[in-house]
Amino acid sequence: METNAMKQDKIVLDHGSGGKISHNMMTDMILPLFNNPTLSKLDDGAALTIAGKRLAFSTDSYVVDPIFFPGGNIGDLAVNGTINDISMCGANPLYISVGLILEEGFETEKLQKILETMAGAAKKAGVQIVTGDTKVVPKGKADKIFINTSGIGLIYNGVELSGSFARPGDQIIVSGTIADHGITVLSAREGLRFDSDIQTDSAALNTMVKSIVESECDVHVLRDPTRGGVGTTLNEIASQSNVGIRIREADLPLRGAVKGTCELLGFDPLYIANEGKLLAFVSKNDAEQLLEVIRANEYGKDARIIGEVVESDPGKVFLETAIGGSRRVDMLAGEQLPRIC
Amino acid sequence: MSLKYVDEFRDSNLAKGLIKRIRAMSHKPLRLMEVCGTHTMSIFRHGIRTVLPENISLLTGPGCPVCVTAQKDIDAFIELAGRDDVILATFGDLMKVPGSHSSLSLEKAQGADVRIVYSAFDAIGLATQNPQKEVVFCAVGFETTIPTIAASILACQEQGVTNFSVYSANKLTPPALAALMQTDGVQVDGFILPGHVSVITGTDAYRPVFETYLTPSVIAGFEPVDILSAIERLVVQNENQSPALENGYTRAVSEQGNIKAQQVMHQVFEPCTATWRGIGDIPDSGMGLRPEYHGFDAARRFGIEMPDVPEPKGCACGEILMGLKTPESCALYKKKCTPMTPVGPCMVSSEGACAAFYKYSV
């Protein structure tokens, strides 16, 4: 069968995975039509200069299933997600927009709860929801509720971050335990009946980014490893910066229950989504200082240095295993878990 | 959730000690086959190939259930998915396996009702929730999963669920090992025998094959220390020319295995000839429904009989499953065949040799 041609005929779930197939759609279909120097950087948000001010602008849509899960719901996910995308540009997020797509028959009580959560998340992070839109579609034409958020923020003075700025020697810090969000949603999903005490890590990282900027550490890249997880994000950075990346299995922070669930179901935590974590690439000399700064934040207590940037094998990520072996951490081809955010 | 019995078997000092001993002891060139796909993945995931001496090569065996599923069975699943009255319940791994003209993933994108489940019992849930539909479970697996499928059929019988049936492409491990050893050109100096399968079958199930071919064999768990210990045992057996059938997974596997699970399996299923992808028909290597359970046989219920189809041109999945070729020596590997555009099932299944090579190799 001609899988290639057929794949182009119809959209499959893999097109939304954040892995290779999404990436190919981005480079083959979207970039050629919308091409401009800002978009082609493929960062989490766009860095724009308007009337002498440097702004970060970003958008994201949320289709998570189920819409309520331990530790949060689609509402705070949508607010925090966009706050984080703007923050990763080295910016202070200020205003966000909210677009709601609702399915006919969706309970207003649930909507009310989601809106309250969104208001709470925005307030906690100190951003305002300043514009929005609501559409309702007939029953069965959408699944309960989909949310789009966009946002803008001011890039901090003198800060310039991009996934293309990683340099050999940089140390890589992850701000806490990985894979919590994806495993929480999976566990909450209908059909998977097992109990655990894990909950989403959904959180706004704007205060953490502010402390990182104020520390004046020599940071080159900030990224939040959401869909596709740490593995996918590191691959994107290796490729954007044309460098190699080495991480150490023994240093990856992982909750016991998350590790256990991954073992049971055969998932690699490196590819599971996070919603309140960041990866920071920092000059070797400043790494320890930055680690302390991140650990001082309420969402950064479990931060660790997990690896470093090297010159060899540009575009590739390798993991040193606990037994002293080594293996490639490739970009996922397709979808490990659909509708996780 | 307790992680006991995982961390102990990932202990880096224990592992490093084993690696040192293997390196010191092993002189002969050795071709060791890990039969099970979960071993293949664990070996790559922990970088075990990168710590072994050059004289030891690891071959991937016929133990990835998706990889050995014949193309005609995939075609049958696709045919079933195409029926308006059917909800097809499947393990996720089968979704992207290409049949002759399509895949379940593409059928789903075009409107077929295909649901991913984690157990045959989830499929019964679908059947009770959708009484106006026929729920068909794609039964693809070895001794590990067959007892649960058998139990699900017994449960349906007891609960009077009539809109549930199973398309059985189940397979048994020991007959495949025997068929492998009879194949020209196959050279295996030791088997790392599957852990999960052996929990059900016990050590005894391998005894006839072992006594016929006297190939060094060790049942292994899935953690790096388990696998390295098995390799160490196989090295010792080869260096001393003292082949044995050993159980290196005593915390889970007994001589006789899980007798209750075996009984349930044999109550519902009986051995039949099965077609293994790339290997062909092997007598008594499949598990078909016994006559008294034919009412649950989807192939009979829907009159599905698919013709044998030639495998895609150039696809070396069959030879790879027998250790005759490595993924890298297949002409399609990384060219026409990638995880995004898989030609053969070894590139699709998360436990497939080609997918593992593609994902973890440089």
Side-chain angles (χ1 to χ4, degrees):
Chain A
M1 66 183 267
E2 290 299 318
T3 322
N4 233 338
M6 292 174 82
K7 279 259 157 75
Q8 286 164 358
D9 262 7
K10 303 264 174 179
I11 292 297
V12 292
L13 285 169
D14 291 333
H15 282 109
S17 68
K20 273 185 192 162
I21 291 176
S22 307
H23 191 79
N24 290 353
M25 178 166 73
M26 186 73 198
T27 48
D28 299 346
M29 282 182 75
I30 298 174
L31 264 185
L33 293 170
F34 297 170
N35 197 19
N36 61 65
T38 312
L39 181 66
S40 62
K41 280 185 186 162
L42 297 180
D43 280 324
D44 279 351
L48 308 166
T49 303
I50 300 173
K53 291 278 183 199
R54 290 197 307 146
L55 296 176
F57 176 41
S58 184
T59 188
D60 212 334
S61 299
Y62 295 83
V63 298
V64 64
D65 172 38
I67 51 176
F68 293 94
F69 40 83
N73 64 48
I74 189 171
D76 50 340
L77 208 61
V79 170
N80 290 338
T82 286
I83 289 175
N84 291 346
D85 280 346
I86 297 166
S87 302
M88 297 310 129
C89 302
N92 181 24
L94 297 169
Y95 300 108
I96 63 176
S97 72
V98 172
L100 301 173
I101 297 170
L102 306 171
E103 184 191 12
E104 180 188 22
F106 183 57
E107 296 94 326
T108 44
E109 191 191 331
K110 287 184 180 162
L111 178 61
Q112 176 74 24
K113 195 167 172 197
I114 290 167
L115 294 175
E116 282 168 9
T117 314
M118 294 180 87
K123 190 173 175 202
K124 181 159 190 216
V127 303
Q128 283 182 294
I129 298 170
V130 290
T131 182
D133 174 54
T134 304
K135 296 280 191 299
V136 180
V137 298
K139 192 160 185 62
K141 303 290 178 189
D143 188 7
K144 298 185 224 23
I145 177 170
F146 296 152
I147 302 180
N148 172 274
T149 52
S150 300
I152 53 167
L154 276 172
I155 298 175
Y156 291 106
N157 275 338
V159 172
E160 213 160 321
L161 300 171
S162 166
S164 54
F165 291 168
R167 298 172 205 166
D170 278 0
Q171 300 293 295
I172 303 165
I173 298 174
V174 66
S175 64
T177 53
I178 65 168
D180 294 350
H181 175 74
I183 291 300
T184 302
V185 172
L186 180 75
S187 307
R189 193 170 285 175
E190 193 182 12
L192 256 189
R193 299 176 301 271
F194 50 78
D195 298 325
S196 73
D197 55 357
I198 37 179
Q199 58 176 41
T200 178
D201 59 348
S202 174
L205 299 174
N206 53 337
T207 57
M208 187 187 289
V209 171
K210 185 163 186 265
S211 327
I212 291 173
V213 169
E214 285 170 352
S215 76
E216 293 188 356
C217 287
D218 185 20
V219 177
H220 302 141
V221 184
L222 289 181
R223 283 292 276 276
D224 56 340
T226 53
R227 181 182 61 176
V230 169
T232 301
T233 305
L234 289 178
N235 268 286
E236 285 167 1
I237 296 168
S239 146
Q240 278 178 282
S241 298
N242 202 30
V243 293
I245 288 176
R246 298 267 185 281
I247 55 173
R248 295 173 294 270
E249 186 177 30
D251 291 333
L252 291 174
L254 202 54
R255 279 184 212 287
V258 171
K259 190 171 168 185
T261 310
C262 285
E263 288 298 329
L264 261 179
L265 298 174
F267 290 124
D268 186 341
L270 279 172
Y271 297 106
I272 304 274
N274 309 276
E275 290 292 339
K277 298 289 154 38
L278 61 75
L279 290 164
F281 285 56
V282 56
S283 298
K284 194 165 185 161
N285 289 340
D286 288 353
E288 287 300 329
Q289 188 199 338
L290 188 69
L291 185 64
E292 289 316 310
V293 168
I294 292 175
R295 281 182 175 167
N297 185 275
E298 64 174 313
Y299 302 120
K301 292 187 176 62
D302 299 318
R304 292 246 198 107
I305 297 176
I306 58 166
E308 62 201 354
V309 178
V310 294
E311 261 178 71
S312 53
D313 300 306
K316 291 178 180 171
V317 180
F318 286 87
L319 175 84
E320 183 191 312
T321 67
I323 65 161
S326 135
R327 69 152 157 106
R328 174 104 185 258
V329 179
D330 198 7
M331 210 158 182
L332 275 196
E335 186 62 275
Q336 190 168 245
L337 289 173
R339 292 187 63 187
I340 217 73
C341 57
Chain B
M1 200 172 299
S2 167
L3 261 190
K4 219 173 160 215
Y5 296 139
V6 172
D7 288 343
E8 297 89 323
F9 293 90
R10 285 190 188 167
D11 185 285
S12 67
N13 290 330
L14 266 177
K16 284 171 184 164
L18 282 162
I19 295 163
K20 216 167 153 184
R21 286 211 292 282
I22 291 168
R23 287 185 161 274
M25 264 187 318
S26 180
H27 307 292
K28 295 180 186 169
L30 283 188
R31 293 163 57 83
L32 307 180
M33 175 178 279
E34 82 270 2
V35 174
C36 172
T38 313
H39 276 143
T40 304
M41 290 315 285
S42 189
I43 285 165
F44 274 100
R45 193 174 149 202
H46 297 289
I48 289 177
R49 282 167 179 260
T50 63
V51 299
L52 292 178
E54 277 182 13
N55 59 304
I56 299 181
S57 43
L58 295 179
L59 315 171
T60 52
C64 149
V66 169
C67 305
V68 297
T69 300
Q71 193 150 338
K72 67 174 178 186
D73 290 326
I74 304 289
D75 287 342
F77 298 147
I78 290 165
E79 171 92 11
L80 284 162
R83 293 181 59 111
D84 287 341
D85 55 341
V86 164
I87 298 176
L88 193 78
T90 174
F91 294 139
D93 263 13
L94 277 176
M95 289 298 286
K96 290 174 202 157
V97 183
S100 304
H101 305 291
S102 181
S103 71
L104 291 177
S105 168
L106 289 170
E107 292 298 307
K108 184 170 187 270
Q110 289 172 38
D113 196 347
V114 182
R115 314 272 184 103
I116 294 176
V117 293
Y118 292 87
S119 146
F121 280 89
D122 292 345
I124 299 180
L126 286 175
T128 49
Q129 287 155 25
N130 300 278
Q132 75 291 4
K133 291 268 190 177
E134 286 283 338
V135 173
V136 180
F137 178 70
C138 305
V140 166
F142 293 107
E143 291 89 335
T144 339
T145 43
I146 306 173
T148 342
I149 298 165
S152 74
I153 288 172
L154 293 178
C156 277
Q157 197 177 44
E158 205 181 293
Q159 295 163 21
V161 178
T162 54
N163 61 331
F164 173 83
S165 59
V166 166
Y167 184 99
S168 176
N170 291 316
K171 292 184 177 59
L172 299 173
T173 311
L177 297 183
L180 191 74
M181 294 310 286
Q182 286 161 18
T183 305
D184 283 345
V186 169
Q187 192 215 327
V188 176
D189 302 311
F191 283 118
I192 301 170
L193 291 174
H196 296 145
V197 163
S198 306
V199 170
I200 306 292
T201 64
T203 318
D204 288 347
Y206 304 102
R207 212 162 288 286
V209 185
F210 172 73
E211 281 166 2
T212 311
Y213 301 99
L214 291 177
T215 309
S217 302
V218 180
I219 295 171
F222 297 97
E223 300 307 323
V225 168
D226 290 313
I227 295 170
L228 288 166
S229 304
I231 293 171
E232 187 207 20
R233 297 306 310 154
L234 293 171
V235 167
V236 170
Q237 290 186 29
N238 272 283
E239 294 291 333
N240 297 344
Q241 295 182 326
S242 56
L245 170 60
E246 293 184 49
N247 180 4
Y249 195 27
T250 48
R251 66 186 187 280
V253 176
S254 64
E255 294 269 302
Q256 296 176 320
N258 184 334
I259 291 169
K260 182 140 192 231
Q262 293 170 25
Q263 279 166 351
V264 171
M265 173 165 83
H266 290 293
Q267 183 184 339
V268 177
F269 291 100
E270 62 185 358
C272 63
T273 298
T275 310
W276 294 60
R277 189 187 176 96
I279 301 175
D281 285 354
I282 306 178
D284 293 334
S285 70
M287 283 300 248
L289 286 153
R290 286 185 180 277
E292 52 271 43
Y293 298 98
H294 277 175
F296 293 100
D297 187 340
R300 285 170 201 276
R301 189 179 288 201
F302 300 99
I304 302 281
E305 203 169 330
M306 304 306 289
D308 275 322
V309 274
E311 276 149 28
K313 218 174 146 198
C315 174
C317 277
E319 287 148 298
I320 290 165
L321 295 170
M322 290 193 284
L324 293 168
K325 271 192 175 178
T326 62
E328 284 140 330
S329 61
C330 173
L332 306 183
Y333 177 72
K334 275 196 176 176
K335 297 186 183 91
K336 204 177 156 199
C337 186
T338 72
M340 285 165 287
T341 57
V343 177
C346 294
M347 187 56 96
V348 186
S349 168
S350 61
E351 296 196 335
C354 301
F357 269 77
Y358 190 96
K359 186 169 171 199
Y360 291 127
S361 299
V362 183

